């Protein structure tokens, strides 16, 4: 076989395609025989040309997995000895690396079986050789072996770490330093989050040094390995970075600022800053790195890729992501430098900087919501001026920023409608379709919460929107429909004069079937549902049938976004029709079930072999190769399917809520889906499942309340729901999901009463304590952080929902709530500290007021702790704070008994300038 195989290997490397093909077929046939292994080993060691030796090694790596167990001990020994010789004596780097890859595969089977005890001692010896080639190949082997026998290295980690650090600092060989850098990355992936990983902190200066050297000589592909290593360190829950975070940030900023480097290299540097902002934000704050980062990131917003480069690598897009992430996590530290950048750049003669100025303000509006509301006038001035800029790019960015403001700065932004809406109306006439599209987005976001204040603008708005809807491109029509939907939602019944024309136009969109038109059809379907909500059941019910039929027919078009929007449409229709929706249940519920049960469409990228210059050799294989496990590089999920599942899950909950007892045939399957989706990997689906579960419970109550035999089934459903809510409160890592579990639990306690939920009370109280102490998974901050707990940012929506649980139990239990409240009082009062934001104190006072109202006289034990806090809130500049404080004082005076006499009415009068609140307190005291 050996002689014929040698000729075939030479023939396979010929440029003649026919000769190649014939050789490949012959090699495939020979590869089924275990004797191919010694033949390939012979050619690996004796073939005259390096490319034949390399090809022999590549084939050996592919075939040895299937044949290893069939080889005799003598042949196994020959293979191992030949591989070691190839690694140490071979002159060609490519052949050495190919042989090292074979060693990695053989080691996967030989080392665990005790058949290669001298491999690791050989590698340690090789790594300390005086020959550069030996040290390099030993490190390469250490890297590849982590994928196959990584666990066997654990007893040797200390020695390995010492070796790797020494090789990273090898002053005689750049190749050894580079191989060591790659080996560090491999070992970090291998050891995960164990204690050993902490020791890699001391590697960071050397890693940075090697990467800088690689960049200096143009080896960017090697330098970026440092970013992959930092990625591992950042995402680890172990405290790995310490003071090194400063060096990592400095290096990353140097790289992303260097316009001479490849876009992909700069992008990876920006991504490291983004991960730090996401996972180690408090470390950035501790080391005062936020401002230096923003000093680099804000100007990067003025840089974009050239037309022939990948937009995903554009520095402006990546920088915007970093700024957004820091704003969400550290808003207090972001607004001042960004506002300063925007103020200066808005006057810049370079339009890219003027564009960057308003982009920056739009990007931070989600994270810096409360701070920007206090500075809204000067911020808005910059954006409205930019909306009239002579450059299209600046006007487009200003429209985007306005849309972000409208989305995140409610309700304060709406009070500026007199200055904002005319500017948006002018922008709708812009010559640029891009500016128009962004202006429709701004209009949609702005109008949604305007309410009756939109009425003076309703006619000019709708005239422009309807004209545009009939004359614009598909893209503009889609954003135009979104804007009409927002106008309809704000105008409500006042939208009636425009409803008929809009609905008639939507008929033409809802029958489109071409692939390029399906997104427009989806938007039209959504818009019909919104118009239906605005004009109500009486107007819509008689004309709904054709729209329902068109919506159902869309499910045959295999377009996930259309199905998603159609589930939303059905949800709206169910809400306006209530029991009138019952007749549609047999048609729409199975569609929602189908969407909920869809495959996620996982896409797995498999890392190709690193067979250099061996294109096509992957075809030479046999069935045995199924045992040779490829490395999974990346797993992605089709986000469209996630959105569809979330919409369908929400729809099932609303169908149950609005049809109640008539939902009986679908109850069991709906509950099964909710239970499954409550543990789904993506938070959007979990959120909708948690919300829908409460609606399913409401329907179950209506179904079973009329028959006694149903009480056991109802109890089982309640048990399922409550157990999931409690598990979610203490186990889910998403704040919004946890918040909704808390809110739903509080609602159930209030609606069902104490007796129904008595068995769950200890668990709910424990979960509430965990959340009040900020110990739940969704409240965790990075382990590197040394930020005081009082300073840590937290989600106000989450804590508002948690605080709803206390008055819910007070209402259900009355004075019997006192022993439980005694456990919760101190953790709650921590949120009233001066170091916490004002909204926290508002939350505490509102919570205490309701507890005082419902618990009754036991609140007297807490008057001396509560009253000083409440009296301070009575003189707050915020009307909401004063109302809550007045209500709380009233309830304390009514139920607190003797302790309240320490606080005479005159003291309360001096603190309370609002007569109607004083009156209620006066009556309570009397």
């Amino acid at each position: 076989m050996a002689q014929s195989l040698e000729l075939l290997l030479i023939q396979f490397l010929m440029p003649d395609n026919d000769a190649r093909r014939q050789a490949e077929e012959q090699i495939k046939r020979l590869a089924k025989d275990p004797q191919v292994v010694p033949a390939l080993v012979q050619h690996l060691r004796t073939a005259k040309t390096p490319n034949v030796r390399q090809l022999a090694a590549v084939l050996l790596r592919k075939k040895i997995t299937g044949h290893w167990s069939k080889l005799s001990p003598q042949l196994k020994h020959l293979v191992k000895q030949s591989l070691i010789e190839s690694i140490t004596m071979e002159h060609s780097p490519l052949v050495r690396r190919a042989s090292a890859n074979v060693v990695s595969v053989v080691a996967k089977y030989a080392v665990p079986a005790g058949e290669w005890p001298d491999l690791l001692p050989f590698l340690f010896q090789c790594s300390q050789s005086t020959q550069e080639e030996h040290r390099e190949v030993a490190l390469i082997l250490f890297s590849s072996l982590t994928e196959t026998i990584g666990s066997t290295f654990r007893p040797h980690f200390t020695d390995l770490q010492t070796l790797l650090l020494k090789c990273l600092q090898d002053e005689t060989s750049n190749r050894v330093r580079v191989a060591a850098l790659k080996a560090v990355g491999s070992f970090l992936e291998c050891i995960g989050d164990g204690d050993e990983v902490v020791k890699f902190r001391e590697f960071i200066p050397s890693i940075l040094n090697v990467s800088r050297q690689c960049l200096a000589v143009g080896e960017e592909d090697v330098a970026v390995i440092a970013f992959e290593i930092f990625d591992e360190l950042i995402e680890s829950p172990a405290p790995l970075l310490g003071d090194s975070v400063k060096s990592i940030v400095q290096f990353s900023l140097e790289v992303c600022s260097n316009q001479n480097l490849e876009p992909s290299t700069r992008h990876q540097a920006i991504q490291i800053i983004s991960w730090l902002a996401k996972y180690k934000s408090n470390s950035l704050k501790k080391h005062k790195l936020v401002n230096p980062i923003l000093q680099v990131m804000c100007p990067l917003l003025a840089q974009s890729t050239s037309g022939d480069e990948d937009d995903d690598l554009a520095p402006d897009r990546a920088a915007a992501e970093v700024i957004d992430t820091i704003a969400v996590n550290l808003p207090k530290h972001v607004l001042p430098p960004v506002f300063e950048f925007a103020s200066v750049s808005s006057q810049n003669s370079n339009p890219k900087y003027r564009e960057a100025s308003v982009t920056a303000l739009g990007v931070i509006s989600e994270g810096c919501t409360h701070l920007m509301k206090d500075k809204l006038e000067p911020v808005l001035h910059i954006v409205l001026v930019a909306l009239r800029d002579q450059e299209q790019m600046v006007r487009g960015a200003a429209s985007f920023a306005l849309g972000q403001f409208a989305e995140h700065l409610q309700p304060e932004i709406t009070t500026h409608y007199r200055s904002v809406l005319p500017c948006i109306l002018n922008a709708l006439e812009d010559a640029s379709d891009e500016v128009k599209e962004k202006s429709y987005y701004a209009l949609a976001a702005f109008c949604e919460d305007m309410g009756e204040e939109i009425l003076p603008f309703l006619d000019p708005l709708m005239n422009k929107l309807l004209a545009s809807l009939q004359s614009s491109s598909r893209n503009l029509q889609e954003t135009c429909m979104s804007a009409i939907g927002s106008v309809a939602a704000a105008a409500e019944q006042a939208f009636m004069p425009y409803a008929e024309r809009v609905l008639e136009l939507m008929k033409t969109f809802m029958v489109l079937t071409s692939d390029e038109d399906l997104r427009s059809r989806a938007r039209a379907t959504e818009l019909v549902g919104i118009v239906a909500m605005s004009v109500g059941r009486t107007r819509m019910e008689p004309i709904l049938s054709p729209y329902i039929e068109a919506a159902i027919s869309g499910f045959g078009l295999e377009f996930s976004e259309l199905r998603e929007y159609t589930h939303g449409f059905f949800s709206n229709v169910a809400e306006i029709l209530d029991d009138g929706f019952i007749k549609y249940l047999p048609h729409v519920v199975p569609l929602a079930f189908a969407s909920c049960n869809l495959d996620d469409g996982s896409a797995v990228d498999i890392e190709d072999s690193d067979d250099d210059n061996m294109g096509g050799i992957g075809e030479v294989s046999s069935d045995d190769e199924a045992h040779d496990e490829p490395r999974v590089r990346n797993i992605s999920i089709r986000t469209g399917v996630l959105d569809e599942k979330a919409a369908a899950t929400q729809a099932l909950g609303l169908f149950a809520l609005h049809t109640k007892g008539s939902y009986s045939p679908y109850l069991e399957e709906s509950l099964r889906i909710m239970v499954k989706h409550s543990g789904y990997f993506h938070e959007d689906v979990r959120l909708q499942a948690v919300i829908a579960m409460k609606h399913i419970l409401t329907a179950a109550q209506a179904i079973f309340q009329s028959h006694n035999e149903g009480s056991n089934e109802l109890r089982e459903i309640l048990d399922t729901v409550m157990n999931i809510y409690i598990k979610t409160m203490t186990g889910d890592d998403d704040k919004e999901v946890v918040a909704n579990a808390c809110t739903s639990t509080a609602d159930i306690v209030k609606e069902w009463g104490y007796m129904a939920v008595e068995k769950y009370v200890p668990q709910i109280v424990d979960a509430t304590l965990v959340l009040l102490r900020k110990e739940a998974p969704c409240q965790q901050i990075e382990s590197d952080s040394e930020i005081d707990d009082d300073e840590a940012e937290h989600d106000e929506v989450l804590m508002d929902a948690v605080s709803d649980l206390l008055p819910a139990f007070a209402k259900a239990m009355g004075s019997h709530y006192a022993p439980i409240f005694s456990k919760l009082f101190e953790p709650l009062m921590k949120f009233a500290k001066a170091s916490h934001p004002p909204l926290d104190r508002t939350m505490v006072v509102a919570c205490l007021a309701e507890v005082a109202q419902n618990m009754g006289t036991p609140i007297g034990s807490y008057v001396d702790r509560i009253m000083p806090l409440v009296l301070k809130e009575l003189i707050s500049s915020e009307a909401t704070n004063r109302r809550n404080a007045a209500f709380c004082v009233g309830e304390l005076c009514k139920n607190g008994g003797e302790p309240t006499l320490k606080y005479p009415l005159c003291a309360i009068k001096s603190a309370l300038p609002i007569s109607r609140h004083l009156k209620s307190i006066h009556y309570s005291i009397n």
Side-chain angles (χ1 to χ4, degrees), residues 687-709:
L687 173 64
Q688 295 306 330
V690 163
I691 295 170
M693 237 172 226
K694 172 65 170 58
H695 301 330
I696 298 290
L697 185 60
T698 301
Q701 197 174 16
I703 291 165
F704 295 120
Q705 68 183 358
S706 55
H707 8 90
N708 294 330
E709 67 275 10

Side-chain angles (χ1 to χ4, degrees), residues 821-834:
F821 184 66
S822 67
K823 297 179 184 178
L824 303 174
F825 178 73
E826 290 298 338
L828 175 69
M829 289 299 287
K830 284 186 178 180
F831 289 88
K833 287 183 178 180

Side-chain angles (χ1 to χ4, degrees), residues 621-679:
S621 59
S622 78
D623 294 340
D624 295 328
E625 288 167 18
H627 302 289
D628 194 3
E629 297 171 10
R631 181 182 175 195
V632 176
R633 184 176 65 220
N634 185 42
I635 298 177
S636 60
I637 305 293
R638 294 205 313 266
T639 55
V641 173
L642 297 181
D643 294 337
E644 181 183 344
K645 282 192 178 215
T649 304
Q650 179 187 46
L652 289 174
L654 290 169
F655 297 164
L657 176 67
H658 292 289
T659 61
K660 295 184 175 64
S662 300
Y663 197 71
S664 178
Y666 317 102
L667 189 71
E668 184 177 348
E669 175 65 5
S670 295
L671 184 61
R672 184 195 69 78
I673 288 170
M674 298 311 149
V675 171
K676 179 182 173 185
H677 283 183
S678 69

